[in-house]
Every structure is written in structure tokens, then in C-alpha cells.
Amino acid sequence: MIAENSPRIVLHVGAPKTASTYLQRRLRADPNHLRKHRIYVPVLPVVAEVAGNAKLLATALSRKPSLTFQRAFPGIDVSALEPTRLIAELLRDWRADLESVVLSAENFRPNHAGRLRELLPETAPCVVVLFVRRQDRWIDSYFNQMVKTNEINEDISTFVARLCDTDGERLCRPDWFAHYQAWHDAFGNCKIVFYDEVASDVFGAFITASGLEPVPDLIDIDPAQVSLNVYELAYLLGLKTPIDYPDFLLRRAASEKASRRLGLHETRSLLSNADLERLRNRFEASNQRLLTALGRNKDSTLLELDVNAASDAYCDLKKLHASESYARYRELADAIYTRRNRRHRFRSFFKR
């Protein structure tokens, strides 16, 4: 047992798309104020612009950087990273007898748990915090983000199949009980926070789960991260591949401008009935095991997945692509892209 409010290492291990970036940015918004309240959030200078202060450590453990990471830090040789040195640097200025330290990365994976326990100081109490949400809504958000950043270019059914059937490190597999079990086995605890229960106060829920004292008067930040609306998502999924990343960014910017002109902002799920059935078959039993382990059997709705895609929250991508409204949208987005691409090439020519 960890004594109440005693100094500790807090590991925030995701999951992605559960307000992780908001939480990380708020932890970084006023570090001096946090430290006055005995919470230390170290930053590695080489990746200081990354919200999660331990993302480089998680990348070093996996040896499989995301495309977004590779684009942002082309000079970092991931194969040369040493987790031992990264942890030493993160904990170098930690006053272990006076304050807690927070290490946050949504790209930590269950297979990192044992290795991380070996690397962290044995004498330091550790608390692991994991945010989770129902897999259908989580995959909607995760898929949207992966398309938006050009990490993937595949239909959502293929994406669902990959998440259900593989154990890769690059993608987060939403078997929350497997996550919980791995971290609990390694550290003796794993505090589960259900995102849908705490969406209105993610930071407060994190502080509570971590066993830290509330921090009064801490600067807040805008929690919004704009997802692609269903037209933008359909447009980017319809692009011919492969596509150069700079050209992809031009296409995405054109799609966003077309949305603003036409007043389009609706986000909808592209999951089909078959996708939902696959998710239920793969994760329902695991979800029940997690709720049982937490003593929350009566709260089955927390991770209850939709039975079908019959509501207005869902969209049939083929029907959308064939619609007149999408034809108008695509025509406008293509025209905006053509004009911007012409200007971009013109400017590039005179910079030679």
C-alpha cells in the first residue's frame, strides 16, 4: 500500500483518444505552480514540443516510432535510444522525498509494463493510471486521428480487423483488461478511469486516481481537438495512394476550408453492423472481466457497445460518396486544392 499523499511515480499510460493530450498539456501549462504543490513534470529538451513527457521513453521501449514522430523528429535514431538513460534524465531533478513525479505517454503498451518496472527505482512507490472507453466510440476517434495524420490509409473495417486480430505495438489494441492485467501484474496496481464518466473533469479524475492532492488555481487550457467531420474523412479516404505528406497536408487543408464554406461540421461513425459485431465478439468478454476485477459488474453500460449502426450517429461511406451533397463538397475541395497547389508550386519555383 502507498501512504496517502506520499511522494510517488505516477505513470499515465493512456489510452490514446481519452483526452491524453489535454491532460498532458495541462500538466505542462504551469509547471512551477504544480511543483509548489509537490507535483513534478519533467521534460526532455530534445522532444520538448511533444505533449507527453514520456513519449520518447515509450518509443525507445517499442523501437517502432509512429510516422508522425518520424516526420517531427527525423534526426532522432530510435534504434540508438537507451531507455535507462532516458529514465535517468527524466528523474534527474526529481526530489523523491518531497514530491511526486508524473510520466505520461499514451503510446505505452502492455508489453512495456514489465520492462518499465525493472527500469524504475525499486524503492519508489508507483501508481499506474489508465483511461479507457467503450471500443466502438474509441475506434471512431482513433481511426479519425490516424486518417487525419496520414498514419493509415485503409477502410475502417480493415482497421477494426487489425485491432482485433493483431498484437502490434504501433497501434493500440483496445483490450482494456489485457492492459489492466499487464500493468497490475508488473506494478501491483492499475487505476482504471472510465473516460465517459469523467469527460467533464478529466484532470480532476487523473489527480484523484493518482492519489495526488488537488491543485487549486491551476491554469486550464482549451480541451478541444478538432476531429475530421464525415465529409473530410470521406474525402481523405478517397485520395489515391501513395501520396506525399506535403501534398496530403494541402488536400487536408482544402477539405477543411471546403467544410467551413459549406457549413459542414457533423462527425459520424463509419462502423458497419459487421464491424460492431466483430468488436462485440472480440471485446465483450474482456470488458466483463475488467468490470469484475474492478468490482463494477453492475455498471456494464460503461463499456457496452452498440448492437447495430441504425442510428443517425452512423454513416454508410459508400452512400455518402454517391450523394449529391458529397459531389458538391468534393468539387469545392478539389478546386481549393488546385488553386493552393498552383500557388505552392509557383512560390517553390522562385525559391530555387
Side-chain angles (χ1 to χ4, degrees):
M1 296 290 292
I2 302 174
E4 186 177 359
N5 299 326
S6 64
R8 65 197 64 194
I9 297 174
V10 177
L11 292 173
H12 170 235
V13 297
K17 308 316 298 178
T18 58
S20 294
T21 301
Y22 163 75
L23 176 58
Q24 292 159 350
R25 288 178 175 169
R26 190 154 187 215
L27 285 167
R28 299 272 300 276
D30 193 350
N32 292 331
H33 184 70
L34 274 179
R35 205 158 194 189
K36 290 178 182 177
H37 291 271
R38 303 194 305 160
I39 300 174
Y40 174 48
V41 184
V43 176
L44 296 173
V46 69
V47 287
E49 62 266 42
V50 175
N53 67 337
K55 288 187 75 170
L56 189 62
L57 172 59
T59 300
L61 290 170
S62 69
R63 302 293 185 190
K64 295 179 180 178
S66 67
L67 292 177
T68 301
F69 181 91
Q70 294 176 62
R71 293 172 190 140
F73 304 102
I76 294 181
D77 179 5
V78 171
S79 65
L81 294 175
E82 296 184 17
T84 303
R85 289 188 178 181
L86 293 175
I87 286 180
E89 187 173 353
L90 284 165
L91 301 184
R92 182 183 57 204
D93 296 326
W94 175 39
R95 300 170 299 191
D97 57 333
L98 296 175
E99 62 192 4
S100 295
V101 61
V102 178
L103 304 179
S104 175
E106 69 273 21
N107 57 327
F108 279 130
R109 298 288 182 260
N111 62 317
H112 296 161
R115 177 65 174 144
L116 199 52
R117 177 62 279 185
E118 293 173 357
L119 292 168
L120 291 170
E122 291 185 6
T123 57
C126 295
V127 176
V128 181
V129 180
L130 172 65
F131 283 69
V132 303
R133 64 191 296 195
R134 46 186 280 196
Q135 285 88 352
D136 48 2
R137 295 294 170 262
W138 180 85
I139 283 177
D140 284 334
S141 184
Y142 194 36
F143 179 74
N144 192 298
Q145 180 67 17
M146 298 294 276
V147 173
K148 182 178 180 179
T149 56
N150 199 31
E151 286 275 350
I152 61 170
N153 189 278
E154 61 193 34
D155 62 75
I156 197 166
S157 294
T158 301
F159 187 68
V160 167
R162 282 213 285 159
L163 292 182
C164 287
D165 300 338
T166 63
D167 284 314
E169 289 192 43
R170 182 169 166 257
L171 296 177
C172 177
R173 187 181 189 181
D175 186 334
W176 306 136
F177 180 72
H179 286 245
Y180 167 80
Q181 191 171 43
W183 292 103
H184 191 278
D185 288 351
F187 287 89
N189 71 85
C190 181
K191 308 297 183 181
I192 298 293
V193 182
F194 294 94
Y195 171 78
D196 290 327
E197 278 192 321
V198 303
S200 62
D201 186 15
V202 170
F203 191 82
F206 169 75
I207 292 294
T208 298
S210 303
L212 302 173
E213 294 184 0
V215 182
D217 304 320
L218 182 66
I219 295 173
D220 202 357
I221 63 169
D222 184 358
Q225 279 198 314
V226 180
S227 296
L228 298 169
N229 67 48
V230 70
Y231 283 83
E232 294 163 354
L233 191 57
Y235 184 77
L236 295 181
L237 288 171
L239 296 177
K240 293 181 179 179
T241 55
I243 182 172
D244 292 336
Y245 188 60
D247 194 41
F248 172 83
L249 292 178
L250 286 174
R251 287 283 188 182
R252 191 181 75 189
S255 73
E256 292 167 349
K257 187 168 185 178
S259 291
R260 291 193 296 272
R261 286 190 181 181
L262 295 175
L264 302 172
H265 52 77
E266 185 178 16
T267 57
R268 296 170 69 187
S269 173
L270 299 182
L271 292 169
S272 67
N273 286 335
D275 297 329
L276 291 171
E277 182 179 10
R278 186 166 202 160
L279 291 174
R280 291 195 307 274
N281 290 340
R282 174 60 187 84
F283 297 115
E284 272 190 344
S286 175
N287 288 347
Q288 189 56 51
R289 293 178 71 188
L290 177 61
L291 293 172
T292 298
L294 300 176
R296 300 199 63 175
N297 287 339
K298 296 181 179 179
D299 299 318
S300 59
T301 56
L302 288 170
L303 296 175
E304 186 175 4
L305 310 186
D306 280 348
V307 174
N308 59 61
S311 76
D312 291 339
Y314 291 87
C315 175
D316 185 314
L317 185 59
K318 289 183 179 180
K319 290 182 179 179
L320 178 63
H321 273 150
S323 68
E324 292 184 7
S325 62
Y326 179 75
R328 290 193 297 271
Y329 168 80
R330 180 177 178 179
E331 182 179 8
L332 178 57
D334 284 345
I336 294 170
Y337 164 77
T338 299
R339 290 196 298 271
R340 289 187 171 187
N341 190 41
R342 188 182 298 121
R343 289 199 301 267
H344 178 74
R345 286 185 293 174
F346 183 77
R347 290 167 181 166
S348 297
F349 176 80
F350 283 99
K351 286 182 180 179
R352 294 177 183 175

